[in-house]
Amino acid sequence: MKKNLIILCLMTVSSLAYSQVGINTPNPQGTFHVDGAKDNAETGTPTATQQANDFTVTSIGNVGVGTTAPSAKLDVVGNIKITDGTEGIGKVLVSDINGIASWQTSTATKSLVLATMGLGANISTGGLAVQTGSFLTLGPGRWLVMTTQLVNLTSMSGGWFNVRSTFSDSSMSTSISPDIVTNGTQGRWISGIMNSGTRWHVMNGSLIINNTSGADKTYYYYAFTDTTGTVDTFGGSWSENQLYALPIN
C-alpha cells in the first residue's frame, strides 16, 4: 500500500511539473495562456481571430499578445501604444546605448531651421566675449549649423584681426555649450581672419550641435576677439548675415 502511494505521488508531481495553466480555456497553447474572450475551441490551435484576444507565455519565456505562438521575447500582433511624455506626431522610437528607448523627431521630418537674428554686438580688444542677441532653437538630434556673417572692421592694430564665435546654453552666459560636437578642442568655434586695409569682410563657417535633451533647446550665438581692434554690430541683422541649421544623422 505504501509503495502504491509513493508511485501515485511521484506521478502527480511529474504531471504538475509539466502542466500548463489555461485561464478561460481548457486548451492552453503555452505554459500560461489567457483566452480573454473565452472563444477558443477545446481542441486544436485557435484561429487568428480567436488568438487576437489571447495572452500566452511559452516554456522558453516568450510572451505573445494576440498570438499563441510568439517567436520573440515579446511578440505582439496588433497596435502598440507607448507613452512616456516624449511622444508626438511623426516621432520615431530611438534607443540609447543602454537600450532605453524614447520618442525622437526623425531627421526625415525635420527641416531647415533659421535663426532669430539679434541686434548684434560690438567686439573689441580684450578677449571679452559678448552675446550677439541671435539664437537658434533646435529639436532633439544632430544639427549642422552654418553661418555667414558680415564683419564691419572699424579699427585694428597690426596686419590682421580675428573674430571667434560659437554658442552657449544661456543668453546670460558665454560658456561653450556642451552639446557642440568636438574632437577634443577642435570644432568648437566658427572663426574668421581679416587683413588690414579693408573695412568690410565676410566670415563663413559651420559646427555640429547634438541636442540630447529630448526636447527643443535654444542655443545663443556669441563672439569675441583675442586680437587688437574693433568690429561693429557683429552677428546682427545685416542683410548679408545668415545663421541656420540642417538636420543630420
Side-chain angles (χ1 to χ4, degrees), residues 18-172:
Y18 291 96
S19 67
Q20 295 175 316
V21 176
I23 297 178
N24 285 345
T25 177
N27 179 31
Q29 301 296 300
T31 303
F32 181 70
H33 181 185
V34 179
D35 179 10
K38 202 176 181 180
D39 60 354
N40 292 357
E42 294 187 1
T43 59
T45 302
T47 66
T49 299
Q50 292 168 338
Q51 292 182 46
N53 57 70
D54 289 10
F55 174 89
T56 309
V57 180
T58 69
S59 60
I60 61 173
N62 287 353
V63 175
V65 180
T67 176
T68 59
S71 58
K73 284 301 179 184
L74 179 61
D75 191 342
V76 179
V77 177
N79 295 331
I80 299 175
K81 182 178 181 180
I82 302 175
T83 56
D84 66 352
T86 63
E87 65 277 359
I89 296 174
K91 289 191 174 183
V92 295
L93 201 61
V94 177
S95 169
D96 66 11
I97 193 172
N98 297 312
I100 305 300
S102 63
W103 292 108
Q104 303 286 343
T105 301
S106 169
T107 55
T109 62
K110 293 178 183 177
S111 58
L112 172 74
V113 175
L114 298 176
T116 298
M117 301 304 295
L119 297 176
N122 296 332
I123 303 171
S124 58
T125 306
L128 179 64
V130 290
Q131 287 284 350
T132 65
S134 301
F135 59 87
L136 278 164
T137 299
L138 304 177
R142 292 163 60 90
W143 298 84
L144 176 63
V145 179
M146 305 183 72
T147 188
T148 297
Q149 297 291 330
L150 185 68
V151 180
N152 179 14
L153 183 57
T154 55
S155 68
M156 67 176 297
S157 176
W160 61 280
F161 182 88
N162 80 334
V163 174
R164 307 179 77 186
S165 64
T166 190
F167 293 86
S168 68
D169 288 347
S170 168
S171 62
M172 304 300 292

